[in-house]
Structures are given as C-alpha cells and as structure tokens.
C-alpha cells in the first residue's frame, strides 16, 4: 500500500488548511494512519495518528489543540485539519500506515508516498 497526501498550500499565520491522505486502490479501513512532517535538514517529525476505526487519536504536543486527525473509511481517506497555523508548521507533510499501533516513531510506519507542502507566512 502506498499513501498519497494532498491539500497543502500557502496560508497566513492563524489560518487553516485541511490535508487529505488516500490510496490509489488499496483500502485503508483496516490500518492505523499517521501524519508526519519534515523540513530540510531535520528528521521526520510525528504530528498525529489515528487507529483503524477512529476511536483512538494521538498528537504531538506542538500541535495538540490546533490540529485534528479524523478518517472516513467509506471514502478511504484520512484527514488532518490544521487550525491556527504558525510559521513553524511550515513543512512537507506525509502520511503513512502504522506498523505498530499508537507509535510515534517514523521507522514503524510504511507506505510513504509523496508529501504535500504547507507554507505558513508570518
């Protein structure tokens, strides 16, 4: 399975964006999914994760209260709603399938596809 992130763009600080994560053909309904972000020269950073049916969600401290992860298994899509964006949220955002439920370590995720760039201007 390979996931594809979309929905990035340029937004002013304080604004909102909603990212989407899907696949070209495989079903995501049996898998937990995580969102990560990366800026050049830095390690990929955990942002949020959701379990297979949406009953469990996990957030990095830096985004808790501002970002919300959700999923619609009927649409085979996982979302990341990002509110009150800050310039430090600027990064390429990726989604992937978790190989270990509840983990925040990128090494336990697979199915990485191309990310989507989010740029927050001050």
């Amino acid at each position: 399975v390979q996931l594809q992130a979309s929905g990035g763009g340029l937004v002013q600080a304080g604004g909102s964006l909603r990212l989407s994560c899907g696949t070209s053909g495989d079903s995501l309904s049996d898998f937990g999914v995580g969102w990560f972000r990366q800026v050049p020269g830095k390690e990929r950073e955990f942002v949020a994760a959701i379990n297979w049916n949406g009953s469990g969600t996990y957030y990095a401290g830096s985004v808790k209260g501002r970002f919300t992860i959700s999923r619609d298994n009927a649409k085979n899509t996982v979302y990341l709603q990002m509110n009150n964006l800050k310039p430090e949220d600027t990064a390429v955002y990726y989604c992937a399938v978790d190989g270990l439920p509840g983990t925040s370590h990128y090494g336990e995720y697979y199915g990485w596809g191309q990310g989507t760039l989010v740029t927050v201007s001050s």
Side-chain angles (χ1 to χ4, degrees):
V1 58
Q2 187 167 47
L3 277 60
Q4 184 68 39
S6 62
L10 174 63
V11 63
Q12 286 190 328
S16 298
L17 278 175
R18 188 177 78 160
L19 305 184
S20 298
C21 173
T23 69
S24 59
D26 300 290
S27 172
L28 284 179
S29 61
D30 293 333
F31 300 100
V33 173
W35 284 97
F36 287 75
R37 64 188 182 187
Q38 189 169 26
V39 298
K42 290 193 175 182
E43 193 170 272
R44 198 162 290 189
E45 175 190 23
F46 173 77
V47 174
I50 189 167
N51 70 347
W52 70 277
N53 65 357
S55 64
T57 57
Y58 316 90
Y59 297 93
S62 59
V63 306
K64 201 165 188 178
R66 300 189 297 123
F67 291 11
T68 302
I69 189 170
S70 63
R71 66 190 302 157
D72 185 340
N73 284 344
K75 294 183 178 180
N76 206 36
T77 303
V78 174
Y79 303 100
L80 184 68
Q81 177 67 43
M82 306 186 296
N83 298 330
N84 190 21
L85 282 160
K86 303 176 181 181
E88 51 264 42
D89 294 318
T90 295
V92 178
Y93 284 71
Y94 300 87
C95 57
V97 174
D98 74 22
L100 183 64
T103 184
S104 62
H105 192 273
Y106 68 85
E108 298 291 347
Y109 285 77
Y110 63 95
W112 301 95
Q114 285 191 333
T116 187
L117 176 62
V118 172
T119 304
V120 184
S121 62
S122 56

